Every structure is written in structure tokens, then in C-alpha cells.
Amino acid sequence: SERIVISPTSRQEGHAELVMEVDDEGIVTKGRYFSITPVRGLEKIVTGKAPETAPVIVQRICGVCPIPHTLASVEAIDDSLDIEVPKAGRLLRELTLAAHHVNSHAIHHFLIAPDFVPENLMADAINSVSEIRKNAQYVVDMVAGEGIHPSDVRIGGMADNITELARKRLYARLKQLKPKVDEHVELMIGLIEDKGLPKGLGVHNQPTLASHQIYGDRTKFDLDRFTEVMPESWYDDPEIAKRACSTIPLYDGRNVEVGPRARMVEFQGFKERGVVAQHVARALEMKTALARAIEILDELDTSAPVRADFDERGTGKLGVGAIEGPRGLDVHMAQVENGKIQFYSALVPTTWNIPTMGPATEGFHHEYGPHVIRAYDPCLSCATHVMVVDDEDRSVIRDEMVRL
Amino acid sequence: MPYDAEILVVGCGNILFKDDGFGPEVIKALEEYFKDREKPDNVMFIDAGTGGPHFVFSLPHEEWKKMIVVDVVEFNAEPGTLRKFDVTEIPKGSYENMHTWPVSQPLHELSEKIDVVVIGCKPKEISAPNVEMGLTPPVKKAIPRAIQMILDEIGVSK
């Protein structure tokens, strides 16, 4: 048998390595995927600081998913401080995330375009991605203050409601965008289904995990069912275990899949599995998210309060923020006491998927390995929670110190 | 947008750190003040945030005649006290930015060419590195008087 190593895996965010053991026909018999992105350590940076520091700092974990991280952060602190966010504030947060989903999924279509889009349609597909992103980011910018790192998503709600004029404009703009998104989704799904990928590629038997169809729901994430193991006790290859930079989160003791397909399985009775199903679910989710954004803009009361008053001293309660990021469930946990953050932890989408992705390449030719990986739209930048201690042999620190 | 006015009012500071947001808040209040009043053509208000030294002070425009910098200044007074400072009173090292290349004394250099004054407010609390948005009450209360001082400087009567 032979070992195929792709390092770093391409057309994804952050750096990861895919190691595949293959038999004489080139069929993958063992697949391992792991993060080799340096640690961020943002949880340590915000510990001991005033609560408002957290959303501002942790949204900088990465520029790919800043919206989910900001939302998960404020939701965790809202929960720790027992804040009830006013309805209009909740709607504006959901609108921000729905627009972000549309934008982020469109970016992924840009990343997978070389896999699926033929030369003669490439320019159209890329223009379509740009057009959709421009409009989706306009909504995030208007509602949350900034398109990339939103300034107006705050503990207790949002900094301001939008004006009636802005509501009408955004509503009209998204209504206008709908045919464009429908057309784009149809194009991508058609190309993906016609690609002729082998049947069953990427199918695995791991459970799916999702808390909500679009936004996220902390009551659907049960901390008691969550455990975490270190890479060294997960990867059976000591060389890989030593270099892997993310912890392995488990739900009911099993590694899971999170993301668009998981959400559709959990909330829409979607039954399909594997690479094509993941791409189809992601594309369809653009339509679901856009429809929800339009619905919110229709029902939003622009004269209603959007932010609750709160006492930022806190009681030390462990707050949980569960947000459905484009790539899956993003959980932030925060404990506020004496007006300062005492504990902070971010359990991010791709961290959930990492242990599932490698084995999902098994049973097919190794040339399909990258297809399996890209179907998860992995983003490693925030998924890294382990620090390298030895630059020479690139080993990471041991169990007791890893939980950054 | 080029900063091509004769008189510039430049609010400096970081709104994430309590009273450090005084300068930008004054600019916001000034814009509000002139919403239904006629603003002189030759004046420009700039919320420079933390970028004043690099993106305003060190990039002079030939139109410039006077710059009014609005910021918090540490001096011996009650929080919220306002004072007009001459550039020579600004301690060495102010307006250096740790994040990029050093701009040594950009206001001092600028004051050799144009008229530079600093409207300074004594802060009560600057929360850095803790993010705490919003001014403390005494500093917030100083905004209307700061506006009056700025109007006097630009020669507009209230």
C-alpha cells in the first residue's frame, strides 16, 4: 500500500493536511484529515476583559465567518447575563446571518468552480457569484454596521434599528435578487449533478448535528452530550496525532457532520448523503436563507427597541451561544462575573467536521479525496485550538494545556 | 475623499475605549448640529478614529490653513474639563502609532506650516484594553461646550 499526502489541501480557508493510505488500485483504505493551521488563542485574549471586548475580538478569529462568531459571542454573553433580547433585535441578528449565509455559500461556489463549471460557463458563474455577494454584503453592511466585521451586533441586541427607508430599500433589493439566486442555484446544482462523480462518494454513517434551520438555538445544543478528546488519543498514527492542531469534539460520544446538509437532514427531512448531497444542500440553503431575509424585512418593526438594558457584572453563569454558521454549528461559551469574562471557549464548525472528513474519503480512488474535503467547505482558521511547542518536530502541546 | 478644506476639525480616538471616543463623538455631534444649519464651505469635519497621525496629519493638502484637533488630553483638572492647547504643550510621543511606522511629532511639523490647535478634554476613564463603549457622564457633558469652542475657532457664532 501507498500513502498519498496532500498538504496543504487547496481551495479552502486555512491550512490542513489530507493523508490517504491507498491499495494497489489507488482506492483509499484509510483517510485522515487534520488541521495544521497555527493557533489563534483568542479565547485567552478575551479572558479577564470586559464583556463587550469579546465580540469585538473574537470576530477577528477569521474574515470568512466573522458574522457567526460575532453572533455566537453576543449570544453566549447574553445567556451568561440572563439578557432577554427584544424581538426586533433578534430579527435583525437573524437577518444579518441569513444574508451572510447567502454571501458565504456563494464564495464556496467560487472555490469549487474549477471542479464543476466548464470553461464556457466560467465567466457567467463567477459574475453570478459576485453579483449575489455584492447584494448580500450590502445587507450585512446596512444592518450590522460593517460587511466584514460587524460593529453593531452588541450584547443585549443590536446598536440601532434600521430606518423605515432602509427596510424598504433592502426589501426591494432582495426581492430583486431572488431570480438571480434561483438561477444561480439551478445552474450550480445542475453542473454538480451532471459531473458524474461516483455514486456514494463521501457517504459516511456518522450522525448529523444542527440546532436550527437557519439561525441557531442554544436549547438544542446539550452540553451534557458533548465531550472532547485530544488529537493524540484520536489519530492512530502518532506522527499525525503529534501535529494535528485541533481537538476532536464528539456528540453522544461520536464524531458528527455539521453544516448545510446536517441542517437539512435535521429540519427538512433531507435524506441524501455524500459529496453531491452536501453541495446540493448548500446551494438550496441560499434560497432558504434569502427567503427568510425577505420575510424578516417584511415583518420587521423599525420603531421597536432592538437592545435590552443589562447589568454587565454577571453571576458566573456559563452562557452558551449556538449559531448555525454557513459551515455548521458554531458554539461559543462565556462566563461573566464581577464585570469580567472569567472563561471563554469557541467550538467552531469545521472542528466538528474534521474527524468525519478524513474517513469520508475511504472506499474511492484517492483522486476523489479533495472533492470529499471541499464538499464540507472547510475553514480551518478558527478550528485550531492546539499550540505547537516544538518548532523542530512540530509537535503540539499536551492534553492539559490544549484547551485554548 | 480628499481632505481639501481650509479648516479641518479632526476628532481623534478609539470609540471602543470609553472616554477615548471623545473626539469622534464630538465630530458626530457637530454633524448633528449642522444638520439644519448652514455649514461654512471652507470647513470639513473628520472622524479620524485612530488613524489621525497617519492618514490626516502627515498628508497635508495645499488648501489647509487651520487644523482643530479634538481629543482627550491628560492634564491636571477634573474629568470633563476642556482646554485649548497649543501644539508646544502636547507631550512628545503623542500621536505616534504603534501599529505602523513611527510618525514622529506630526502635529509639530504641521504647525510650522498651518495653524494647529488642540481642543482637549480631561478623560475620566480610558478602558483599554477592555472594550467598553460610551463616554463617562462628565466627558459626555463636555460635548456642547467643546462644540462652542470649535465654533469660536472656526469663526461661526452660535
Side-chain angles (χ1 to χ4, degrees):
Chain A
S1 76
E2 203 191 337
R3 196 172 246 230
I4 308 283
V5 178
I6 303 177
S7 180
T9 39
S10 62
R11 282 186 273 133
Q12 66 176 35
E13 307 298 337
H15 301 94
E17 189 165 314
L18 176 63
V19 178
M20 294 173 286
E21 280 164 28
V22 301
D23 64 16
D24 295 341
E25 270 81 55
I27 305 298
V28 180
T29 54
K30 179 99 195 162
R32 301 183 192 85
Y33 178 77
F34 57 97
S35 170
I36 52 170
T37 303
V39 74
R40 292 290 197 263
L42 285 149
E43 289 103 323
K44 288 285 180 246
I45 296 174
V46 301
T47 303
K49 306 255 173 31
E52 276 182 295
T53 316
V56 173
I57 300 281
V58 301
Q59 63 178 213
R60 270 123 185 128
I61 284 178
C62 177
V64 175
C65 269
I67 311 291
H69 289 310
T70 311
L71 289 167
S73 183
V74 293
E75 290 270 343
I77 294 165
D78 287 345
D79 189 28
S80 180
L81 297 177
D82 279 320
I83 299 168
E84 183 74 38
V85 176
K87 186 184 172 202
R90 293 200 307 271
L91 285 175
L92 286 173
R93 284 183 179 181
E94 192 178 346
L95 174 58
T96 306
L97 186 63
H100 176 70
H101 272 254
V102 175
N103 168 56
S104 190
H105 289 347
I107 298 178
H108 189 246
H109 288 159
F110 176 73
L111 294 177
I112 61 167
D115 295 335
F116 298 105
V117 183
E119 196 57 44
N120 63 328
L121 289 174
M122 192 59 97
D124 284 350
I126 302 300
N127 286 340
S128 169
V129 163
S130 300
E131 180 69 17
I132 291 168
R133 290 196 60 212
K134 189 171 74 183
N135 284 284
Q137 283 297 78
Y138 181 76
V139 176
V140 177
D141 190 6
M142 292 283 280
V143 175
E146 298 272 350
I148 306 289
H149 294 117
S151 54
D152 293 353
V153 177
R154 303 282 177 82
I155 298 165
M158 299 288 284
D160 298 293
N161 206 329
I162 56 174
T163 63
E164 189 58 16
L165 181 66
R167 183 188 72 78
K168 284 183 178 150
R169 276 197 187 160
L170 293 176
Y171 180 82
R173 193 154 174 163
L174 290 188
K175 273 278 198 190
Q176 225 174 357
L177 183 66
K178 191 176 179 305
K180 179 88 218 170
V181 167
D182 289 348
E183 189 193 332
H184 175 82
V185 169
E186 200 183 328
L187 172 76
M188 291 307 296
I189 289 179
L191 291 171
I192 289 159
E193 286 179 339
D194 292 348
K195 175 73 185 176
L197 288 175
K199 212 168 150 32
L201 181 65
V203 170
H204 60 71
N205 292 316
Q206 297 309 120
T208 49
L209 174 65
S211 68
H212 190 265
Q213 193 181 319
I214 294 173
Y215 186 70
D217 180 354
R218 69 170 69 88
T219 66
K220 297 278 164 38
F221 174 72
D222 186 352
L223 258 181
D224 292 336
R225 296 167 68 184
F226 160 72
T227 48
E228 197 174 25
V229 299
M230 293 307 128
E232 60 180 354
S233 47
W234 182 261
Y235 295 100
D236 52 10
D237 179 320
E239 272 304 302
I240 290 175
K242 198 167 74 173
R243 294 172 49 220
C245 292
S246 68
T247 57
I248 307 296
L250 306 171
Y251 207 63
D252 295 333
R254 303 184 67 188
N255 55 300
V256 298
E257 180 184 332
V258 298
R261 189 188 76 88
R263 285 189 283 266
M264 282 189 63
V265 167
E266 299 290 324
F267 296 98
Q268 290 184 25
F270 192 66
K271 296 274 192 289
E272 305 300 312
R273 296 186 294 166
V275 170
V276 173
Q278 286 169 300
H279 286 308
V280 168
R282 186 173 295 109
L284 289 176
E285 200 168 64
M286 291 173 79
K287 292 169 73 159
T288 315
L290 182 66
R292 180 63 185 139
I294 291 171
E295 191 178 88
I296 290 169
L297 284 163
D298 190 35
E299 70 171 291
L300 180 73
D301 177 357
T302 52
S303 62
V306 291
R307 196 176 187 198
D309 284 331
F310 58 88
D311 182 341
E312 71 160 26
R313 284 170 296 179
T315 58
K317 176 186 166 187
L318 179 68
V320 175
I323 289 294
E324 288 295 332
R327 291 155 194 79
L329 180 62
D330 184 16
V331 179
H332 285 213
M333 289 172 267
Q335 222 170 353
V336 182
E337 200 171 6
N338 302 323
K340 294 287 189 295
I341 293 166
Q342 310 294 341
F343 167 80
Y344 200 97
S345 180
L347 177 59
V348 305
T350 296
T351 311
W352 289 107
N353 282 334
I354 283 173
T356 304
M357 291 162 72
T361 61
E362 292 167 11
F364 289 87
H365 196 275
H366 68 80
E367 283 186 357
Y368 290 110
H371 274 285
V372 175
I373 298 307
R374 265 177 228 130
Y376 287 81
D377 188 7
C379 187
L380 280 301
S381 307
C382 61
T384 304
H385 289 77
V386 182
M387 206 194 276
V388 171
V389 276
D390 190 335
D391 274 336
E392 288 293 309
D393 72 353
R394 296 201 279 170
S395 61
V396 299
I397 53 180
R398 295 299 95 182
D399 279 19
E400 68 276 12
M401 292 166 70
V402 212
R403 285 158 216 261
L404 285 167
Chain B
M1 185 180 64
Y3 300 135
D4 55 355
E6 286 181 4
I7 303 176
L8 298 110
V9 184
V10 186
C12 296
N14 191 333
I15 58 164
L16 298 180
F17 300 139
K18 270 199 167 162
D19 290 339
D20 198 22
F22 176 72
E25 286 297 332
V26 168
I27 297 298
K28 225 195 228 174
L30 267 174
E31 276 162 359
E32 191 62 33
Y33 177 83
F34 278 105
K35 226 175 185 169
D36 37 38
R37 289 178 179 84
E38 204 175 325
K39 191 178 78 139
D41 286 342
N42 62 342
V43 180
M44 188 179 269
F45 302 135
I46 301 165
D47 171 359
T50 55
H54 284 88
F55 305 117
V56 186
F57 306 159
S58 52
L59 300 168
H61 191 278
E62 57 193 17
E63 292 269 319
W64 293 7
K65 291 207 169 101
K66 177 169 184 160
M67 180 178 286
I68 302 154
V69 176
V70 190
D71 203 348
V72 282
V73 177
E74 286 292 353
F75 61 104
N76 195 11
E78 287 296 309
T81 307
L82 286 159
R83 221 197 95 184
K84 181 175 145 183
F85 293 86
D86 187 78
V87 171
T88 56
E89 295 177 277
I90 299 295
K92 204 169 159 50
S94 307
Y95 301 110
E96 278 185 18
N97 186 332
M98 69 180 99
H99 297 296
T100 51
W101 68 95
V103 173
S104 166
Q105 314 286 30
L107 279 183
H108 291 72
E109 246 175 69
L110 196 59
S111 67
E112 288 163 18
K113 297 186 190 99
I114 67 167
D115 195 10
V116 179
V117 297
V118 178
I119 304 290
C121 181
K122 164 81 179 179
K124 180 162 189 274
E125 192 190 340
I126 291 173
S127 64
N130 287 289
V131 173
E132 290 181 45
M133 288 178 242
L135 304 179
T136 62
V139 171
K140 194 172 182 169
K141 258 177 37 198
I143 292 177
R145 212 176 91 68
I147 290 182
Q148 187 53 57
M149 289 169 78
I150 293 162
L151 294 179
D152 291 346
E153 286 296 324
I154 60 182
V156 176
S157 54
K158 201 163 181 176

